[in-house]
Amino acid sequence: MAGRAMKVLEAFGGEDRVLTLYLPLGGDVKQRIAHLKTRSKKLAEEVGDWASRPLEGLLEDLHLGEGRSPLGVGLFASPSGRSLALPLPSPVDGQVISKRPWILPALEALCPLLEAWVVWIHRGRGEIFRHHAVLERVEELSEEIPRKVRDAGFRGGEERRLERRAETSLSKFLKDLAWRLRELNAERPAGEVWVTGSEEVMPEALEALGRFSLPVRSLKAPKSQEDLERSVREAMGARFFQEAEDLVERILESPGRSVLGLRQAIDQVNRRALMSLVVEERRTVRGVRCTSCGALGLDEDQCPLCGSGMEEETDLLDAMAHRALLSGAEVLVLGRPSSLREHEGVGGLTRLSR
């Protein structure tokens, strides 16, 4: 999640005018194309050709005419010709032209869902998927594995030989699958691995993939790819909810490192001292920004860092997220109320005790 957000910020570093356009991509292909053409024409008329160009290339970039597409997309463009499309797992709508990419809506959509590998293991066949904005099938591995013989009798020795052959074949297949997953992850690193399959192969599969360097989590066997994607998202959402609750509890119970409320959070963001910044829900909060060094504030007349004058900042939470990400902090947007509500819905942890 943070990696994709950082790519957007890095792509537009040094720009002083950036268009951010979030679009939902629901409906059939014809509806999407008609919607994109309408928005493209309107942008060209109201802003300029530079703003409409990313929309014109969106159909090809996201392959909207082929297979499944994300539920939303964030488009970023600048007059210098830079542009970037960020697929999103949920529909988002909005448009802003400002001095930086409008990143908070993307963070809210991306936070619950890590980039992950999803492995669906059948007997003698393994499908590897990549989950980002959608579940994308990457590769399939297969190997003939004889079934174990379950009945006993006068052919017991032969049955045992066939059983050992089945176990050896399955073990080799799972090792090959694990190695291939390592190779794919070296090319496109992810945050975790989800594994599903029949009860017959899951114990051996979890053991083989459990040696992987990423966290490995299990899922109930799905009925279809759509069912698999739904299960992955639900499991990721449940995990994110619990991890966010744990982080908020740490913030509230760590007096030496806790940051509570807007004013404290702004101070630590300015000092680049945050390890984690948590925002309950995306909303508009106005503040101020230093005209010289870019430090943020609520209502100060002079910059708290360099003493220069301050100008209006129309989206303080987004500016805080932007500055925190660039300083290496983790930024989470919960998208729901939490125990931080009593502290203006904002909290964090500093890297060191204060």
Side-chain angles (χ1 to χ4, degrees):
M1 177 278 303
R4 281 184 279 170
M6 278 301 301
K7 285 181 181 178
V8 175
L9 302 189
E10 291 168 355
F12 292 90
E15 297 283 355
D16 59 4
R17 194 176 188 214
V18 179
L19 164 73
T20 302
L21 177 62
Y22 288 104
L23 292 171
L25 296 178
D28 61 23
V29 174
K30 290 183 179 180
Q31 289 175 326
R32 294 172 191 157
I33 294 173
H35 181 58
L36 293 177
K37 286 182 176 179
T38 300
R39 294 295 291 266
S40 178
K41 183 179 179 181
K42 188 176 181 181
L43 278 171
E45 293 172 351
E46 295 180 354
V47 182
D49 290 340
W50 66 269
S52 65
R53 257 181 236 117
L55 268 175
E56 294 169 3
L58 181 58
L59 180 61
E60 181 179 352
D61 292 342
L62 298 179
H63 307 289
L64 296 184
E66 305 173 8
R68 303 171 63 251
S69 68
L71 296 178
V73 65
L75 290 175
F76 307 87
S78 66
S80 67
R82 296 181 187 179
S83 64
L84 189 148
L86 179 64
L88 298 172
S90 56
V92 183
D93 201 355
Q95 176 181 321
V96 167
I97 296 179
S98 64
K99 295 181 179 180
R100 63 178 184 272
W102 182 29
I103 202 66
L104 213 59
L107 289 173
E108 185 173 25
L110 292 170
C111 272
L113 306 176
L114 291 179
E115 289 200 46
W117 296 107
V118 180
V119 182
W120 188 0
I121 300 176
H122 317 266
R123 185 170 187 85
R125 182 165 63 91
E127 295 179 272
I128 300 176
F129 298 85
R130 175 84 176 190
H131 186 278
H132 39 100
V134 295
L135 191 67
E136 170 195 5
R137 190 172 180 273
V138 176
E139 195 167 312
E140 178 179 326
L141 282 76
S142 62
E143 181 169 321
E144 184 178 349
I145 299 176
R147 293 193 172 276
K148 296 180 180 180
V149 180
R150 297 186 180 277
D151 60 316
F154 70 93
R155 292 184 297 112
E158 178 65 13
E159 291 167 5
R160 182 55 189 156
R161 187 183 67 80
L162 292 173
E163 186 176 355
R164 284 196 300 269
R165 181 185 166 199
E167 291 171 351
T168 301
S169 299
L170 178 60
S171 177
K172 179 181 179 301
F173 167 67
L174 293 174
K175 285 180 181 178
D176 290 344
L177 185 64
W179 273 110
R180 183 56 186 147
L181 195 57
R182 287 189 181 92
E183 292 174 345
L184 291 170
N185 193 64
E187 298 169 6
R188 298 171 61 192
E192 60 187 3
V193 180
W194 292 86
V195 185
T196 187
S198 64
E199 294 182 1
E200 182 182 8
V201 298
M202 277 299 285
E204 292 92 339
L206 289 172
E207 182 179 355
L209 295 172
R211 303 185 184 95
F212 204 47
S213 58
L214 299 177
V216 177
R217 311 175 195 277
S218 62
L219 285 170
K220 182 180 178 182
K223 297 178 181 178
S224 63
Q225 183 174 330
E226 290 74 19
D227 187 29
L228 175 60
E229 181 169 9
R230 184 167 50 253
S231 297
V232 170
R233 291 194 177 199
E234 289 175 356
M236 285 186 175
R239 185 218 53 232
F240 174 70
F241 180 91
Q242 188 56 55
E243 289 179 352
E245 287 292 294
D246 294 343
L247 178 56
V248 169
E249 186 176 343
R250 284 181 62 199
I251 292 171
L252 295 172
E253 296 180 356
S254 304
R257 297 175 57 204
S258 67
V259 173
L260 296 170
L262 276 169
R263 202 169 291 278
Q264 285 188 22
I266 292 169
D267 178 59
Q268 296 304 308
V269 165
N270 284 339
R271 298 175 187 277
R272 304 184 185 276
L274 282 185
M275 182 179 73
S276 301
L277 173 66
V278 179
V279 177
E280 273 192 343
E281 295 176 292
R282 178 164 53 95
R283 68 187 194 280
T284 301
V285 177
R286 293 183 178 274
V288 291
R289 171 189 289 275
C290 176
T291 57
S292 179
C293 71
L296 303 172
L298 274 175
D299 49 19
E300 294 85 349
D301 295 323
Q302 287 188 321
C303 175
L305 296 187
C306 72
S308 300
M310 307 290 274
E311 62 183 3
E312 183 183 24
E313 170 56 61
T314 58
D315 194 336
L316 187 59
L317 292 179
D318 186 74
M320 291 169 63
H322 185 277
R323 194 173 175 94
L325 283 171
L326 290 177
S327 70
E330 173 190 38
V331 179
L332 297 183
V333 183
L334 305 185
R336 58 177 175 81
S338 75
S339 301
L340 292 174
R341 183 53 52 96
E342 298 177 4
H343 303 281
E344 301 171 287
V346 178
L349 286 174
T350 58
R351 292 187 177 92
L352 302 172
S353 295
R354 292 178 289 159

